[in-house]
mmCIF file of all heavy atoms in Angstrom:
data_model
loop_
_atom_site.group_PDB
_atom_site.id
_atom_site.type_symbol
_atom_site.label_atom_id
_atom_site.label_comp_id
_atom_site.label_asym_id
_atom_site.label_seq_id
_atom_site.Cartn_x
_atom_site.Cartn_y
_atom_site.Cartn_z
ATOM 1 N N ALA A 370 290.326 84.072 71.073
ATOM 2 C CA ALA A 370 289.790 85.422 71.293
ATOM 3 C C ALA A 370 290.675 86.219 72.238
ATOM 4 O O ALA A 370 290.910 87.420 72.019
ATOM 5 C CB ALA A 370 288.365 85.336 71.845
ATOM 6 N N LEU A 371 291.195 85.574 73.282
ATOM 7 C CA LEU A 371 292.068 86.275 74.225
ATOM 8 C C LEU A 371 293.368 86.680 73.542
ATOM 9 O O LEU A 371 293.879 87.790 73.760
ATOM 10 C CB LEU A 371 292.357 85.391 75.434
ATOM 11 C CG LEU A 371 293.206 86.030 76.544
ATOM 12 C CD1 LEU A 371 292.492 87.242 77.145
ATOM 13 C CD2 LEU A 371 293.530 85.017 77.642
ATOM 14 N N ALA A 372 293.913 85.803 72.703
ATOM 15 C CA ALA A 372 295.151 86.112 71.986
ATOM 16 C C ALA A 372 294.959 87.312 71.061
ATOM 17 O O ALA A 372 295.817 88.199 70.979
ATOM 18 C CB ALA A 372 295.613 84.887 71.194
ATOM 19 N N GLU A 373 293.823 87.365 70.368
ATOM 20 C CA GLU A 373 293.542 88.488 69.459
ATOM 21 C C GLU A 373 293.366 89.788 70.233
ATOM 22 O O GLU A 373 293.832 90.845 69.804
ATOM 23 C CB GLU A 373 292.288 88.183 68.641
ATOM 24 C CG GLU A 373 292.486 87.058 67.616
ATOM 25 C CD GLU A 373 291.201 86.728 66.876
ATOM 26 O OE1 GLU A 373 290.135 87.292 67.242
ATOM 27 O OE2 GLU A 373 291.256 85.919 65.933
ATOM 28 N N LEU A 374 292.686 89.711 71.367
ATOM 29 C CA LEU A 374 292.444 90.912 72.169
ATOM 30 C C LEU A 374 293.725 91.458 72.767
ATOM 31 O O LEU A 374 293.967 92.672 72.756
ATOM 32 C CB LEU A 374 291.442 90.588 73.282
ATOM 33 C CG LEU A 374 291.092 91.729 74.238
ATOM 34 C CD1 LEU A 374 290.297 92.808 73.517
ATOM 35 C CD2 LEU A 374 290.298 91.205 75.442
ATOM 36 N N MET A 375 294.581 90.562 73.278
ATOM 37 C CA MET A 375 295.773 90.978 74.004
ATOM 38 C C MET A 375 297.010 91.099 73.113
ATOM 39 O O MET A 375 298.032 91.638 73.548
ATOM 40 C CB MET A 375 296.060 89.996 75.134
ATOM 41 C CG MET A 375 294.887 89.774 76.091
ATOM 42 S SD MET A 375 294.345 91.274 76.922
ATOM 43 C CE MET A 375 295.705 91.525 78.069
ATOM 44 N N GLY A 376 296.936 90.559 71.911
ATOM 45 C CA GLY A 376 298.066 90.670 70.997
ATOM 46 C C GLY A 376 299.194 89.698 71.278
ATOM 47 O O GLY A 376 300.311 89.882 70.781
ATOM 48 N N HIS A 377 298.916 88.641 72.067
ATOM 49 C CA HIS A 377 299.921 87.623 72.396
ATOM 50 C C HIS A 377 299.237 86.265 72.478
ATOM 51 O O HIS A 377 298.127 86.167 73.000
ATOM 52 C CB HIS A 377 300.611 87.919 73.739
ATOM 53 C CG HIS A 377 301.500 89.119 73.715
ATOM 54 N ND1 HIS A 377 302.805 89.087 73.291
ATOM 55 C CD2 HIS A 377 301.247 90.408 74.054
ATOM 56 C CE1 HIS A 377 303.330 90.293 73.386
ATOM 57 N NE2 HIS A 377 302.403 91.120 73.845
ATOM 58 N N PRO A 378 299.896 85.202 72.029
ATOM 59 C CA PRO A 378 299.291 83.876 72.102
ATOM 60 C C PRO A 378 299.449 83.255 73.487
ATOM 61 O O PRO A 378 300.425 83.507 74.190
ATOM 62 C CB PRO A 378 300.090 83.082 71.070
ATOM 63 C CG PRO A 378 301.448 83.724 71.084
ATOM 64 C CD PRO A 378 301.198 85.191 71.328
ATOM 65 N N LYS A 379 298.479 82.467 73.871
ATOM 66 C CA LYS A 379 298.508 81.620 75.066
ATOM 67 C C LYS A 379 299.071 82.329 76.303
ATOM 68 O O LYS A 379 300.054 81.908 76.896
ATOM 69 C CB LYS A 379 299.301 80.351 74.805
ATOM 70 C CG LYS A 379 298.883 79.219 75.742
ATOM 71 C CD LYS A 379 299.456 77.893 75.335
ATOM 72 C CE LYS A 379 298.929 76.802 76.269
ATOM 73 N NZ LYS A 379 299.459 75.473 75.965
ATOM 74 N N LEU A 380 298.401 83.415 76.692
ATOM 75 C CA LEU A 380 298.817 84.142 77.889
ATOM 76 C C LEU A 380 298.391 83.408 79.159
ATOM 77 O O LEU A 380 298.996 83.591 80.218
ATOM 78 C CB LEU A 380 298.211 85.545 77.886
ATOM 79 C CG LEU A 380 298.746 86.509 76.818
ATOM 80 C CD1 LEU A 380 297.972 87.814 76.858
ATOM 81 C CD2 LEU A 380 300.226 86.751 77.008
ATOM 82 N N ILE A 381 297.357 82.594 79.065
ATOM 83 C CA ILE A 381 296.847 81.860 80.225
ATOM 84 C C ILE A 381 296.269 80.544 79.725
ATOM 85 O O ILE A 381 295.751 80.472 78.603
ATOM 86 C CB ILE A 381 295.776 82.700 80.974
ATOM 87 C CG1 ILE A 381 295.458 82.089 82.338
ATOM 88 C CG2 ILE A 381 294.533 82.885 80.145
ATOM 89 C CD1 ILE A 381 294.576 82.980 83.201
ATOM 90 N N ASP A 382 296.379 79.497 80.516
ATOM 91 C CA ASP A 382 295.888 78.189 80.094
ATOM 92 C C ASP A 382 294.364 78.103 80.214
ATOM 93 O O ASP A 382 293.782 78.466 81.243
ATOM 94 C CB ASP A 382 296.509 77.083 80.960
ATOM 95 C CG ASP A 382 297.996 76.890 80.676
ATOM 96 O OD1 ASP A 382 298.414 77.201 79.550
ATOM 97 O OD2 ASP A 382 298.723 76.461 81.588
ATOM 98 N N HIS A 383 293.738 77.625 79.165
ATOM 99 C CA HIS A 383 292.312 77.291 79.138
ATOM 100 C C HIS A 383 291.388 78.406 79.637
ATOM 101 O O HIS A 383 290.542 78.192 80.515
ATOM 102 C CB HIS A 383 292.052 76.029 79.975
ATOM 103 C CG HIS A 383 292.989 74.900 79.663
ATOM 104 N ND1 HIS A 383 293.090 74.356 78.398
ATOM 105 C CD2 HIS A 383 293.867 74.222 80.451
ATOM 106 C CE1 HIS A 383 294.000 73.373 78.423
ATOM 107 N NE2 HIS A 383 294.490 73.283 79.651
ATOM 108 N N PRO A 384 291.512 79.630 79.104
ATOM 109 C CA PRO A 384 290.551 80.666 79.509
ATOM 110 C C PRO A 384 289.167 80.305 79.000
ATOM 111 O O PRO A 384 289.010 79.816 77.877
ATOM 112 C CB PRO A 384 291.080 81.929 78.814
ATOM 113 C CG PRO A 384 291.806 81.410 77.598
ATOM 114 C CD PRO A 384 292.421 80.103 78.030
ATOM 115 N N LYS A 385 288.157 80.501 79.806
ATOM 116 C CA LYS A 385 286.790 80.195 79.380
ATOM 117 C C LYS A 385 286.372 81.182 78.284
ATOM 118 O O LYS A 385 286.699 82.368 78.333
ATOM 119 C CB LYS A 385 285.836 80.284 80.562
ATOM 120 C CG LYS A 385 286.017 79.172 81.587
ATOM 121 C CD LYS A 385 285.680 77.807 80.996
ATOM 122 C CE LYS A 385 285.751 76.702 82.026
ATOM 123 N NZ LYS A 385 287.138 76.358 82.400
ATOM 124 N N PRO A 386 285.630 80.698 77.285
ATOM 125 C CA PRO A 386 285.172 81.606 76.221
ATOM 126 C C PRO A 386 284.072 82.530 76.723
ATOM 127 O O PRO A 386 283.279 82.161 77.604
ATOM 128 C CB PRO A 386 284.629 80.642 75.158
ATOM 129 C CG PRO A 386 284.257 79.406 75.905
ATOM 130 C CD PRO A 386 285.227 79.300 77.046
ATOM 131 N N VAL A 387 284.031 83.730 76.165
ATOM 132 C CA VAL A 387 283.008 84.706 76.549
ATOM 133 C C VAL A 387 281.613 84.143 76.296
ATOM 134 O O VAL A 387 280.683 84.353 77.078
ATOM 135 C CB VAL A 387 283.209 86.027 75.779
ATOM 136 C CG1 VAL A 387 282.021 86.966 75.966
ATOM 137 C CG2 VAL A 387 284.491 86.716 76.235
#
Side-chain angles (χ1 to χ4, degrees):
L371 183 62
E373 291 177 354
L374 179 68
M375 306 300 288
H377 291 275
K379 204 169 183 181
L380 291 175
I381 192 171
D382 290 334
H383 311 301
K385 290 295 184 287
V387 170

